[in-house]
Amino acid sequence: AIPESLLEAEFFGYEGGSFTDARKEGKPGLLETADNGTLFLEEVDSLPLGMQAKLLRFLQAQEFYRLGGNKLIRVDVRVIAASNQDLEALVNARQFRPDFFYRLNVLRIFVPPLRGRIEDIIPLAHVSLDRFNAKYGLKKFMSPLIYRYILDYPWPGNIRELENVMERAVLLCGAGVSESAHLPPALQGRDFEDMERHGSLDAALNALELRLITEALTEAGGNMAKAAQQLGITERIMGLRMKKYALHFKDFRGRN
């Protein structure tokens, strides 16, 4: 949404009087500010093609001119770029410059969507819960039922959606425990038996395992030894399973 001329000034800076409303003393851009550091380009696929060409020149030589200036500025900047789009597909569709892509594509790290790393969902939910408790001065915590709802939801909005769901639960919950009624309708309407029957094998097994563990811990009032005995497993295995799903004893005490 930013005009390319202003975007260029944001990256490269400008000399005084370069354009209307420019500061008299000029202004350094992001590249100068990031000297001896790192510049993170989030959603790099949104950069205009013209801006990609200008950044390509910088990436090749680590030098540039301020907008309206004639002094060559050299910096040492590491660039990290991120995108939720397939950049190679955009290159093939002529929507992303191939030379810019190949210059960026030195070391690629693929981060799977949240639905592809189920083991991260509950730990991330706890991180969000703690953050929003601190933000609003509250002490809310999740009931075991919530684990079952959030574990098998596909999370099309990834971590941002999970954070929004947790903030909603913290704000709507008045009794200190987030129940299913405090979740968005998309999560409330999911049927666990249907999830286990029609989801992927890994998702079904995880959902079933988590349900059995939370039910056993609830009946045992958070007593791990008693819950492990009920499930026919050792305390060590029970501890590993609780760690896998980031389960906390405090969530189950006093619930039997």
Side-chain angles (χ1 to χ4, degrees), residues 159-171:
I159 294 177
R160 289 189 182 95
E161 183 182 12
L162 177 61
E163 290 174 339
N164 289 341
V165 166
M166 296 314 302
E167 184 171 17
R168 171 194 173 106
V170 166
L171 293 174

PDB file of all heavy atoms in Angstrom, residues 159-171:
ATOM      1  N   ILE A 159      -0.166 -19.559  13.940  1.00  0.00           N
ATOM      2  CA  ILE A 159       0.057 -19.087  15.305  1.00  0.00           C
ATOM      3  C   ILE A 159      -0.753 -17.832  15.614  1.00  0.00           C
ATOM      4  O   ILE A 159      -1.237 -17.654  16.738  1.00  0.00           O
ATOM      5  CB  ILE A 159       1.558 -18.844  15.549  1.00  0.00           C
ATOM      6  CG1 ILE A 159       2.319 -20.178  15.483  1.00  0.00           C
ATOM      7  CG2 ILE A 159       1.803 -18.188  16.904  1.00  0.00           C
ATOM      8  CD1 ILE A 159       3.810 -20.062  15.641  1.00  0.00           C
ATOM      9  N   ARG A 160      -0.936 -16.952  14.625  1.00  0.00           N
ATOM     10  CA  ARG A 160      -1.729 -15.742  14.875  1.00  0.00           C
ATOM     11  C   ARG A 160      -3.152 -16.107  15.294  1.00  0.00           C
ATOM     12  O   ARG A 160      -3.725 -15.492  16.193  1.00  0.00           O
ATOM     13  CB  ARG A 160      -1.759 -14.863  13.620  1.00  0.00           C
ATOM     14  CG  ARG A 160      -0.440 -14.176  13.308  1.00  0.00           C
ATOM     15  CD  ARG A 160      -0.616 -13.167  12.185  1.00  0.00           C
ATOM     16  NE  ARG A 160       0.636 -12.519  11.830  1.00  0.00           N
ATOM     17  CZ  ARG A 160       1.430 -12.924  10.852  1.00  0.00           C
ATOM     18  NH1 ARG A 160       1.085 -13.976  10.131  1.00  0.00           N
ATOM     19  NH2 ARG A 160       2.559 -12.291  10.577  1.00  0.00           N
ATOM     20  N   GLU A 161      -3.722 -17.105  14.638  1.00  0.00           N
ATOM     21  CA  GLU A 161      -5.083 -17.524  14.991  1.00  0.00           C
ATOM     22  C   GLU A 161      -5.107 -18.134  16.382  1.00  0.00           C
ATOM     23  O   GLU A 161      -6.015 -17.870  17.171  1.00  0.00           O
ATOM     24  CB  GLU A 161      -5.614 -18.524  13.962  1.00  0.00           C
ATOM     25  CG  GLU A 161      -7.054 -18.939  14.221  1.00  0.00           C
ATOM     26  CD  GLU A 161      -7.575 -19.964  13.239  1.00  0.00           C
ATOM     27  OE1 GLU A 161      -6.763 -20.538  12.482  1.00  0.00           O
ATOM     28  OE2 GLU A 161      -8.803 -20.213  13.228  1.00  0.00           O
ATOM     29  N   LEU A 162      -4.101 -18.949  16.702  1.00  0.00           N
ATOM     30  CA  LEU A 162      -4.033 -19.549  18.037  1.00  0.00           C
ATOM     31  C   LEU A 162      -3.936 -18.465  19.108  1.00  0.00           C
ATOM     32  O   LEU A 162      -4.610 -18.541  20.153  1.00  0.00           O
ATOM     33  CB  LEU A 162      -2.835 -20.492  18.119  1.00  0.00           C
ATOM     34  CG  LEU A 162      -2.576 -21.159  19.478  1.00  0.00           C
ATOM     35  CD1 LEU A 162      -3.764 -22.013  19.899  1.00  0.00           C
ATOM     36  CD2 LEU A 162      -1.307 -22.003  19.423  1.00  0.00           C
ATOM     37  N   GLU A 163      -3.121 -17.453  18.872  1.00  0.00           N
ATOM     38  CA  GLU A 163      -2.991 -16.359  19.837  1.00  0.00           C
ATOM     39  C   GLU A 163      -4.320 -15.635  20.018  1.00  0.00           C
ATOM     40  O   GLU A 163      -4.702 -15.299  21.150  1.00  0.00           O
ATOM     41  CB  GLU A 163      -1.919 -15.380  19.358  1.00  0.00           C
ATOM     42  CG  GLU A 163      -0.504 -15.930  19.430  1.00  0.00           C
ATOM     43  CD  GLU A 163       0.525 -14.989  18.823  1.00  0.00           C
ATOM     44  OE1 GLU A 163       0.124 -14.120  18.013  1.00  0.00           O
ATOM     45  OE2 GLU A 163       1.711 -15.129  19.150  1.00  0.00           O
ATOM     46  N   ASN A 164      -5.033 -15.391  18.924  1.00  0.00           N
ATOM     47  CA  ASN A 164      -6.327 -14.711  19.024  1.00  0.00           C
ATOM     48  C   ASN A 164      -7.343 -15.540  19.795  1.00  0.00           C
ATOM     49  O   ASN A 164      -8.139 -15.005  20.578  1.00  0.00           O
ATOM     50  CB  ASN A 164      -6.859 -14.402  17.626  1.00  0.00           C
ATOM     51  CG  ASN A 164      -6.070 -13.314  16.925  1.00  0.00           C
ATOM     52  OD1 ASN A 164      -5.368 -12.549  17.568  1.00  0.00           O
ATOM     53  ND2 ASN A 164      -6.171 -13.250  15.614  1.00  0.00           N
ATOM     54  N   VAL A 165      -7.320 -16.862  19.576  1.00  0.00           N
ATOM     55  CA  VAL A 165      -8.236 -17.750  20.289  1.00  0.00           C
ATOM     56  C   VAL A 165      -7.950 -17.714  21.786  1.00  0.00           C
ATOM     57  O   VAL A 165      -8.866 -17.650  22.615  1.00  0.00           O
ATOM     58  CB  VAL A 165      -8.123 -19.192  19.744  1.00  0.00           C
ATOM     59  CG1 VAL A 165      -8.800 -20.185  20.689  1.00  0.00           C
ATOM     60  CG2 VAL A 165      -8.762 -19.290  18.364  1.00  0.00           C
ATOM     61  N   MET A 166      -6.670 -17.737  22.149  1.00  0.00           N
ATOM     62  CA  MET A 166      -6.318 -17.724  23.571  1.00  0.00           C
ATOM     63  C   MET A 166      -6.671 -16.382  24.210  1.00  0.00           C
ATOM     64  O   MET A 166      -7.135 -16.338  25.354  1.00  0.00           O
ATOM     65  CB  MET A 166      -4.828 -18.029  23.741  1.00  0.00           C
ATOM     66  CG  MET A 166      -4.408 -19.422  23.287  1.00  0.00           C
ATOM     67  SD  MET A 166      -5.511 -20.740  23.866  1.00  0.00           S
ATOM     68  CE  MET A 166      -5.424 -20.514  25.636  1.00  0.00           C
ATOM     69  N   GLU A 167      -6.473 -15.291  23.497  1.00  0.00           N
ATOM     70  CA  GLU A 167      -6.834 -13.989  24.058  1.00  0.00           C
ATOM     71  C   GLU A 167      -8.342 -13.901  24.252  1.00  0.00           C
ATOM     72  O   GLU A 167      -8.814 -13.386  25.279  1.00  0.00           O
ATOM     73  CB  GLU A 167      -6.353 -12.862  23.148  1.00  0.00           C
ATOM     74  CG  GLU A 167      -6.603 -11.476  23.729  1.00  0.00           C
ATOM     75  CD  GLU A 167      -5.942 -10.369  22.937  1.00  0.00           C
ATOM     76  OE1 GLU A 167      -5.554 -10.613  21.771  1.00  0.00           O
ATOM     77  OE2 GLU A 167      -5.807  -9.250  23.474  1.00  0.00           O
ATOM     78  N   ARG A 168      -9.092 -14.414  23.297  1.00  0.00           N
ATOM     79  CA  ARG A 168     -10.555 -14.424  23.413  1.00  0.00           C
ATOM     80  C   ARG A 168     -10.980 -15.217  24.642  1.00  0.00           C
ATOM     81  O   ARG A 168     -11.832 -14.782  25.430  1.00  0.00           O
ATOM     82  CB  ARG A 168     -11.154 -15.044  22.146  1.00  0.00           C
ATOM     83  CG  ARG A 168     -12.656 -15.328  22.218  1.00  0.00           C
ATOM     84  CD  ARG A 168     -13.068 -16.241  21.085  1.00  0.00           C
ATOM     85  NE  ARG A 168     -14.448 -16.672  21.198  1.00  0.00           N
ATOM     86  CZ  ARG A 168     -15.441 -16.233  20.447  1.00  0.00           C
ATOM     87  NH1 ARG A 168     -15.201 -15.332  19.517  1.00  0.00           N
ATOM     88  NH2 ARG A 168     -16.667 -16.685  20.602  1.00  0.00           N
ATOM     89  N   ALA A 169     -10.355 -16.403  24.834  1.00  0.00           N
ATOM     90  CA  ALA A 169     -10.707 -17.246  25.974  1.00  0.00           C
ATOM     91  C   ALA A 169     -10.402 -16.553  27.297  1.00  0.00           C
ATOM     92  O   ALA A 169     -11.185 -16.607  28.241  1.00  0.00           O
ATOM     93  CB  ALA A 169      -9.950 -18.579  25.892  1.00  0.00           C
ATOM     94  N   VAL A 170      -9.262 -15.877  27.362  1.00  0.00           N
ATOM     95  CA  VAL A 170      -8.882 -15.172  28.586  1.00  0.00           C
ATOM     96  C   VAL A 170      -9.879 -14.058  28.900  1.00  0.00           C
ATOM     97  O   VAL A 170     -10.286 -13.867  30.048  1.00  0.00           O
ATOM     98  CB  VAL A 170      -7.456 -14.598  28.449  1.00  0.00           C
ATOM     99  CG1 VAL A 170      -7.169 -13.572  29.542  1.00  0.00           C
ATOM    100  CG2 VAL A 170      -6.422 -15.720  28.521  1.00  0.00           C
ATOM    101  N   LEU A 171     -10.315 -13.326  27.875  1.00  0.00           N
ATOM    102  CA  LEU A 171     -11.203 -12.195  28.095  1.00  0.00           C
ATOM    103  C   LEU A 171     -12.639 -12.619  28.409  1.00  0.00           C
ATOM    104  O   LEU A 171     -13.336 -11.963  29.177  1.00  0.00           O
ATOM    105  CB  LEU A 171     -11.195 -11.282  26.862  1.00  0.00           C
ATOM    106  CG  LEU A 171      -9.875 -10.549  26.589  1.00  0.00           C
ATOM    107  CD1 LEU A 171      -9.949  -9.793  25.279  1.00  0.00           C
ATOM    108  CD2 LEU A 171      -9.544  -9.600  27.739  1.00  0.00           C
TER     109      LEU A 171
END
